Amino acid sequence: MANFGYLVPTGGGEDIPLKKNRILIGRRETCDVILRFPNVSGQHCRMTLEQGYWFIKDLESRNGTKVNGYRVTRKRCDPGVIISIAKHQYEIRYNPEELGAMGPPPGDDDQIEIALRSSLMERAGIDKSKKDDEGH
């Protein structure tokens, strides 16, 4: 069977092999990865392999999905990031080159991290506070 990497529980326990390029994670028995915790939704999130990189998409779960502590809707998961499904944390381990990655990583859909750190005006390069400081 193919191996596309692992989810490694940060608190100990068995590694979860990623055996397909689309993986449904949740509490239901029909999921590819079954997490039997009451705070995990029936269908919590989906992971998809795209251009050699794993992406995670929250499926409107009750307790959310996070990547490195930031709640996400859909996000690229580079090797070594910490994925939180409800409050359960896993490090994702894989080698993008072995999974077909070439060149720079594909775009990251979820801009939540950027939005938390800077205003829309700053990102557009028209931050009024800086212009006022320059005497404009």
Side-chain angles (χ1 to χ4, degrees):
M1 185 171 276
N3 183 350
F4 298 103
Y6 294 91
L7 290 178
V8 179
T10 60
E14 287 194 32
D15 294 355
I16 300 169
L18 304 173
K19 297 179 180 178
K20 306 185 332 189
N21 60 8
R22 284 176 58 90
I23 295 174
L24 183 61
I25 300 171
R27 205 176 61 245
R28 286 193 191 143
E29 295 297 319
T30 53
C31 292
D32 301 305
V33 172
I34 302 165
L35 298 178
R36 293 181 177 91
F37 301 107
N39 60 346
V40 173
S41 294
Q43 292 188 337
H44 199 97
C45 57
R46 174 175 287 120
M47 293 183 65
T48 54
L49 187 62
E50 300 171 25
Q51 299 172 46
Y53 287 85
W54 281 104
F55 281 75
I56 194 160
K57 178 177 175 45
D58 186 76
L59 299 176
E60 299 180 11
S61 66
R62 195 173 58 249
N63 291 310
T65 303
K66 293 180 179 179
V67 174
N68 281 344
Y70 290 96
R71 193 165 182 153
V72 298
T73 305
R74 183 179 188 278
K75 179 131 182 75
R76 189 181 71 233
C77 298
D78 294 334
V81 301
I82 302 296
I83 296 170
S84 301
I85 299 167
K87 298 257 186 256
H88 310 281
Q89 295 189 330
Y90 304 88
E91 178 185 342
I92 186 165
R93 292 189 187 161
Y94 69 100
N95 184 326
E97 288 78 30
E98 288 177 8
L99 301 181
M102 290 186 281
D108 198 358
D109 294 0
D110 210 325
Q111 299 301 315
I112 290 173
E113 281 186 56
I114 293 168
L116 291 173
R117 292 193 187 140
S118 60
S119 73
L120 188 57
M121 298 291 274
E122 286 173 322
R123 283 184 279 148
I126 46 178
D127 183 1
K128 286 184 128 240
S129 63
K130 288 183 181 146
K131 286 194 175 185
D132 291 344
D133 291 345
E134 295 166 5
H136 294 130

